[in-house]
Each structure stands twice: as structure tokens, then as C-alpha cells.
Amino acid sequence: MDASVFLFGADSLEHVVAVEPAGDRVLLYVRDGQSVRTEEQPFRPWLYARGRPALPGAEWQALEAPEEGQWLDHLALFPNWDSFQKARWELRESGVDFLAPASAQRQFLTATGITLFKGLNYSDLHRLQLDLETGSLYPTEPAAEVLMVALTDNRGFEECVQGGTEKERIERAVTLIMERDPDVIEGHNLFDFDLNYLSQRAEALGVSLRIGRNGSALTRGQRRRQEASSYRRETARFYLHGRHFVDTLLAAQRYDFGRGEMTSYGLKAVAQTLGVAEPERIIVDRSNMTVLVREQPEMVREYALQDVRETRAIADLLCATDFYQTQMVPDGYQNVSTMGMGEKINTLMHRAYLAARHAIPMPSPTEAVAGGYTEVRRVGVLRPVVKADAQSLYPSIMDVYNIAPSSDKLGVFLPMLRELTRRRIDAKTKMRDVTGIERTYWDGLQSSFKVLINSFYGYLGTVVSFNDPKAAGEVTGKGQEIVKQAAAEIERLSGQVIEIDTDGIYFVPPIDIAGDEAEEEFVAKVAGILPKGIHLVRDGSYRAMISLKVKNYVLQKHDGELIFHGAAVRSRADEPFGREFIEQAIRILLEGPIEDLTKMYQQTVQEIMDGKVPAEKLARRERVTEKTFRSSLRKRSKAAAQTSGAKVGDYVKVYQATDGSLQPLDQYANDEDRDFYLDKLYKFAVRLRDAIGDEFDRLIASPKSAKMTASGQQSLFDP
């Protein structure tokens, strides 16, 4: 079978923006320019099982299956969704091994080879953004009220619904959504705040949120863990007939995975980090929103519209990759945007095997797999610095050495990987020669290919249908050999290796290597010794690097901008005063003089002792979980959460008081534990000990000594 069919499905139907199963039929919504038409197709739910258990209504087909291993070797087809659901429940109760996607959308798309959005650009999708301004943070509080509903879309529409009663405002928003008829509704913290708040207020007021494409109401699903990023949280789920929801807060968390650039995932902070903040951004005190709406309605209106404009801009940047992956993965856009990468590859494999009517293997038992090679060879301040990167190292190894799951009897895995790689190279080439919307299209497409390509290795070691831990170990073993080989060659050519991390090497180039062209030629020379098909490229050049320990460093770009990597230098859990101290210390280490570090440290000590550090810089943000209230180990957090009235899932800003308790920031009473914060300051400084070196104890006094010095006693730093 053509590898492109493995990726995009066998059916060529284009411009499908939604599929909605109903019984034994499926309604397809197909975009035709500015309008959307509907088509119907038959739908037979299916499941895979080991053997042929007795199931009412099932039509069984025996599948081709190897003799060795454990395989789901029979396929059952059902006349409608109800009979499938009953069969699925019976199998779960009986303990029979089976595979049965619970999503009717995924079932239909997997079985037919149709995919959503085929033939469309991201800009063709009609996307509407929604944001609420409310009288409280919780829809059940006495002050709860939807004060404004701000709406925009990517076709030039903007409106802020205000005035009248709350019921009239919600009804007007419903009317506008139905008139605009979007394919997608976007919002920041859309699931846990806007939709949750709107649905509960509408229910309290007797308003039906009939904003589905067929006039049906908004429905709420079960809370579900967000799987597509390292930031684990459960979120509410909502569904609309014929439309998709996309939460840009979740998109920001996925984007920031591995980067760690964002100190907050709030809308304003994300927009600022991504460079899409609205000019002359209005900031308001949300705790007083009801009064502000009454007294300054135009100002709040502009504030609300800025929120939805920024939401749209964030989605423009972060969501195109999910859109283009939905052209391949047989599932809805809303699900693809929150689905783990291993599951995406799993669905592609399932579609190919279902089309061939071949059995699907049971997952192999998990095994420990050696990770990538990491090593720090030099610490301190080093300059200049070049990064060499083995592009897509693990996928390249799998391609070069033909490493694939042993259970992939149809040979789907490697052809998909190679076709994705070929298409990505083609998209990147075309991107270079065009501008505007066309360039945006090719960039979004190549990015979606890249994300999938880099997930093929992880798939091998995950508990999925075609996993193969032994193959995963073979990949990492080859990877370790290759990166060590490259590092040895750099040092043979008089470079100084600083850090090796899986597929990247930071090094100080030989003294005679300076400038972009010379650095690229040097890396190309190193690459010449590597196996054919492994591509080592110059991936960055920096004025300096502060190396601390594995995966913890600071890079200084040639324009002076700092890039922090690793929790040892900066963490979201750090109090703001500590983050500021570390950044200032880093700049002193890079620019000098080194004695300024002592001055800055002592100044911060004095400010803490004098109570001059603002409370908001002492406070850290903590998330309230069920353990906060249950665990005796978290009694300090529990007290702060209860005092502030926070609920599970909320964030509270807390500081440590003199009695050792954590208190909510909004109840600050000039009672911070200054000794505690002096100790914290010293611990922040200690993070930089390896960079400062032998001078550390001379430059940075311990908390007790620093306190004595700051109070005017004999200085430890005097000669």
C-alpha cells in the first residue's frame, strides 16, 4: 500500500470539517467555501477481540494473524452504536482481551479512511473566540453573573455582548454563535472556566445553550487528564454537535513542554511570551469587575475584546500543528489537540491494519530502556559556545538501521516514518520560496510532520499495540554511540565539549573558528565521520554559556538575551524575588565585575531584613489538589487554601509567615518569616556555586553571616 495512504487514509473526500455519528448513520459536515453542506454515510461500529466470544448482534470476521505472539484475531461489526456499547460492556466484564475505541468519531474515521480538514488550509477553518467577564470566579457564588461575552472570529467579526439582563446577554451570545456558524470555538482556559461558568449560569437562568450545528445543546463530558504535555491536570470536557472546542491554555502548556519559557500559563503572560500581546494592553482588577462594568463599561469592553484577540493570536501560532495532524489522525480536532503522541501513531497503525483486515497485537510487556547519553564535562562561564545537533537522531537511526516493531507484520511503521520525513523536507523546501499565507501553510505542515516524526521512537517504549522495548533499546544504544563519536571528534579537532544531551552537544570551538561560516564548516567536518543518514548541523551560536549540571544552564545570545534551561537556574515554583536575584547574578557573572555579586546579594539581604521586598515577590503559587485537604504532610498548604476559600483545581499565592504557616497573599499582614526568606535567598545563590567556583564562599555569605554583615557588624568580605 502507498505510504501516503497510511498517513492520510484511503478515502479522498476533502473539506470535511466535522462528523457526527447517530445510530447506524454518520452526518458529515463539508465546507464549501463560506458555506457548509451535509452528507450522510452508513456507519457500522466495530471492535477487535481475541477469539470469538458470544456477543448479541455481532457479525464476526476471522483475521489474518501470525502463529507466534498474542493477537486480537477477530473483528466484530455491529448494526448500531447501542449494540456496540452493550458488547463492549460485556467484554469488559468478562475479562476478554479486546480493542474498541470509545469514540464513534474515531471508529468511523478509522474504518472509512476519511480524515477531517483534508484539502483545507488552517486559514480556511472558521474559528470563533469566546471570553467571559464575570462577577465572580465561581458560577455558584452569590455574586456570580455573566457580565459580558466577548466574541471575535478569524473573518473580521467582533462583538462584546453587554447591557440588558444576564439572561438576555447569554441568549444574545447564543444567537451570535449560531449566526456566525464557526467550525471551531477557541478560548483560554475554555474548558475549566468559560464553558463551565457559562453552562452553570445558563442552567440557573433556564437558558438552553443550543449552539450545536444542528441546534442541539452543549453537553458536558467527564473530566479527563490532559495527556499532550508534561503538565498533568484534569480538565472538564464539553462537546457540541458539528463543532470543535480548542483551549489555548492547553496548547500553551504543550508548546512550553521542554522549553520552560513561560512563568505562567495565564492569557496575558502567554501572549506576552509569544509576542502577540495587544498594544496598549488594558489590565483591570478582576475582583472588582461588577463595579467596573457598571462604571467604566467601554474600558471593560475593550479589555474583553483584547482578551479574545490575544486568544486568536495564540491559536494562530500554536494550533496549526494540531490542525494539520488532524488531516492524518482519524479523530476529531478537539481530541487530536489533547491526545498523546503515542496514541496518534497508534490510531494510524490501527487504521492500516483494519483496512487490511489483519489482526492487531497485544502490547508487549514493558522493559527498562536505556535513555539518551547525557554528560557535563565543563562547568562555569564559558565563551563562545556553539551547539551541534543531530537532527531527528532517533527517527534517523530507525530509518538508517531499519529498526521497527517486530509485530508490524504489514510493514507500516517505517514507510510511514520515511514518508513523513520526505514530506517534511519537501514542505520546508517550499516554505523557503514563498511568503504570507502560503508560507504559513507550509510551515504549519512541516511542523506537524516534525512532531509526529519525533514521536516514533517514544512509541516503541510505550504501552501501545505495536510497542517493542527491545527495538527502543537498540535505538538508544545506537544514539549513545553516535553522540559520543561526535563529541570525541570535536575534541580531537581542539574543541572543548561542555555538555552532551541525547542529540545535542554544546562546545567551545577551537580558537581559530569564528563566525557563522567557520562554525558551520567545523560542524560539517565533524558530521563527516558519522554514519550516512545521520545529520549533524550547527543549531546555535552563543556569546556565552553558564554551565551548572546536566540539563541546567544559561545561554547568552549575541544580542545579550538570556535563555534559561533547567530548574536549577529557574523554576516556576520559585518565588519572584529569587528569580530576579538569579537573573541579576547571571548577568554579573557574564558581564562582571564579580564583586558586584556580593553587593547585590547584601542589598537583597538588607531589603529582606527591612521588610522592603514587596509581598507579591515573596509569594509563590501553589495548586490546590485533593491531597492538599487530605494529607497531613500538607497541613500548611491546607490552612492557606481553606483561609482563602480555594477549591480543588484553583491556584493560591502564599507566603510563609513568622509562625511557619503558609498564608494567602491577599491576607498579607507584614508578617513574613524573614529568616526563612534569607535562607531561601542563600539557597538561590547556592544554585550558582558551580558557576562561581572557588570564590563562592568569599562572595556569598551564609544566612547568619550575611545577616550580621547587613546589620552593620564586621563584614566577612573585608580584607
Side-chain angles (χ1 to χ4, degrees), residues 126 180 465 471 488 562 594 620 659 667:
H126 186 186
R180 298 305 299 172
S465 297
L562 299 180
I594 193 64
R620 69 174 185 269
D659 63 359
Q667 297 185 30

Side-chain angles (χ1 to χ4, degrees), residues 91-106:
L91 289 177
R92 191 164 52 235
E93 291 295 307
S94 65
V96 173
D97 292 328
F98 70 100
L99 170 71
S103 162
Q105 271 188 332
R106 182 187 293 188

Side-chain angles (χ1 to χ4, degrees), residues 21-42:
D24 62 351
R25 312 291 294 174
V26 164
L27 191 64
L28 283 72
Y29 288 91
V30 183
R31 178 158 292 288
D32 187 7
Q34 297 296 307
S35 61
V36 174
R37 59 182 172 82
T38 59
E39 294 183 9
E40 271 196 5
Q41 289 198 16

